[in-house]
Amino acid sequence: MAAVGQKKRFMIFDYLNYLGMTLLSVSVVYPLLYLLVLSLSSREGMAQASGSVWLWPQGFTWKAYSGFLDQTYIYTGYFYTISRTVVGTSLAVLLMCLAAYALSKKIPFKKSLTFFFIFTMFFTGGLIPTYLLIKSLGLLNNPLVYILAPPFLYNTFYILILRNFFMTIPDSLEDSAKMDGAGDIRIFFNIIIPLAAPAIATISLWVAVNHWNSWFDSIIYVQSADLQVIQVHIRKLIIEQSALLMSDAMDFYDKEHIPTPESMKAAAILITMIPILCVYPFIQRFFVKGIVMGAVKG
């Protein structure tokens, strides 16, 4: 009888687990589904449904997406966003790995150098000094500003995570490689980097997401519309469309045949989210291992 009662308790626990995970999954997936449904709904359909959508588009239309894709600067914006994400992430991760690897070894003034990095986490120059620095370097209205401007080229928090991960790698591996004639550069790229792949993959995704979502630096440092990133163009297009809908110059007939501001915002969110979401599943498996192993040794 005791075994039967224990089995029932385990079954109840399993069912509650399944229910909880199902509700959690729905809470994550439904917002994306709602955005998709809203972006595909027409103005007429939204009016007939009293402005509410649930699981299916009201008056199916692609106008919210075609309104974005018909703009030529959308493609140049995507080019600079993808370029800064790929190049900026690669360069930033390389430099942070080099800094973290150096800080993980017994080097002169190690504590002073570590304090120098940590100090920048709490005190920065501010927006105006940073702008003057970018201007003096000739990076205004220059695509290189997306990669070289702070805080994208390095991040102290990420460096510390990588440093802690490198400290978990036994020194005996490097000693054995040096006995076989390997130099420091070869050891770093052929031994240390492959062993630290989980942490590097995690940091790479974080840096890539920061690059992908960034738009403020494009507004501050870049004046030419041909050089701005996709997020800035979408922001401008949404503002222009919203102002056009509120303008008395547009007649009622035109308003009935263009998407609502909510549909355009939903389409804009999906357009900017989907590319980075496609990368996440390939790196997600490194998350737990990369973060935990990077935090176990200080």
Side-chain angles (χ1 to χ4, degrees):
M1 294 296 293
V4 174
Q6 187 177 11
K7 183 177 180 180
K8 288 183 178 180
R9 287 195 295 270
F10 279 126
M11 291 178 61
I12 294 174
F13 179 76
D14 290 340
Y15 289 145
L16 291 177
N17 266 342
Y18 293 146
L19 178 61
M21 293 304 298
T22 301
L23 294 176
L24 180 61
S25 301
V26 170
S27 67
V28 173
V29 173
Y30 181 73
L32 298 177
L33 176 62
Y34 176 79
L35 289 175
L36 179 62
V37 169
L38 184 59
S39 66
L40 296 175
S41 298
S42 65
R43 176 176 291 273
E44 299 89 339
M46 291 285 289
Q48 294 175 3
S50 301
S52 61
V53 294
W54 294 98
L55 297 174
W56 192 256
Q58 300 296 327
F60 187 88
T61 180
W62 292 98
K63 291 181 180 179
Y65 292 96
S66 62
F68 288 113
L69 300 179
D70 288 343
Q71 309 295 326
T72 56
Y73 53 72
I74 291 295
Y75 300 97
T76 60
Y78 258 123
F79 171 77
Y80 284 109
T81 298
I82 295 174
S83 298
R84 74 172 295 178
T85 301
V86 174
V87 178
T89 300
S90 302
L91 182 59
V93 171
L94 174 61
L95 294 179
M96 287 190 289
C97 285
L98 291 172
Y101 181 66
L103 293 176
S104 68
K105 299 302 175 184
K106 296 179 180 180
I107 58 175
F109 309 107
K110 177 180 178 179
K111 292 185 178 180
S112 299
L113 289 173
T114 304
F115 173 79
F116 174 79
F117 280 96
I118 295 177
F119 184 83
T120 62
M121 295 178 63
F122 304 100
F123 301 96
T124 61
L127 180 60
I128 295 178
T130 302
Y131 180 86
L132 295 176
L133 174 62
I134 296 299
K135 182 179 180 181
S136 65
L137 293 175
L139 294 176
L140 289 181
N141 211 34
N142 188 331
L144 290 177
V145 74
Y146 296 138
I147 300 172
L148 302 179
F152 295 106
L153 198 57
Y154 83 98
N155 185 294
T156 303
F157 177 68
Y158 300 161
I159 291 176
L160 294 178
I161 292 179
L162 290 170
R163 183 204 66 165
N164 293 344
F165 197 103
F166 290 149
M167 292 174 67
T168 64
I169 299 176
D171 294 335
S172 57
L173 291 176
E174 299 182 44
D175 296 337
S176 299
K178 289 180 180 179
M179 292 178 62
D180 292 335
D184 292 332
I185 296 178
R186 185 173 182 181
I187 291 174
F188 178 74
F189 285 103
N190 290 1
I191 297 177
I192 302 301
I193 293 298
L195 291 175
I200 294 174
T202 303
I203 299 301
S204 297
L205 184 60
W206 287 348
V207 176
V209 170
N210 290 337
H211 271 290
W212 187 269
N213 291 334
S214 180
W215 57 272
F216 186 70
D217 55 348
S218 183
I219 292 179
I220 296 297
Y221 303 129
V222 178
Q223 291 77 40
S224 176
D226 296 334
L227 302 178
Q228 290 179 330
V229 295
I230 185 66
Q231 288 78 6
V232 175
H233 292 311
I234 289 178
R235 175 179 176 272
K236 289 181 179 179
L237 189 57
I238 291 176
I239 293 175
E240 291 172 359
Q241 291 292 336
S242 298
L244 188 61
L245 289 171
M246 298 175 62
S247 174
D248 294 334
M250 176 172 284
D251 58 26
F252 180 78
Y253 179 81
D254 290 330
K255 288 185 178 181
E256 287 294 322
H257 290 81
I258 62 175
T260 62
E262 290 76 14
S263 297
M264 297 197 66
K265 291 176 184 177
I269 293 173
L270 289 176
I271 288 174
T272 54
M273 282 178 55
I274 288 176
I276 201 70
L277 284 178
C278 293
V279 178
Y280 179 82
F282 299 99
I283 306 179
Q284 186 270 342
R285 61 191 181 94
F286 294 111
F287 266 25
V288 175
K289 184 178 178 182
I291 296 174
V292 171
M293 291 188 66
V296 295
K297 190 174 182 179

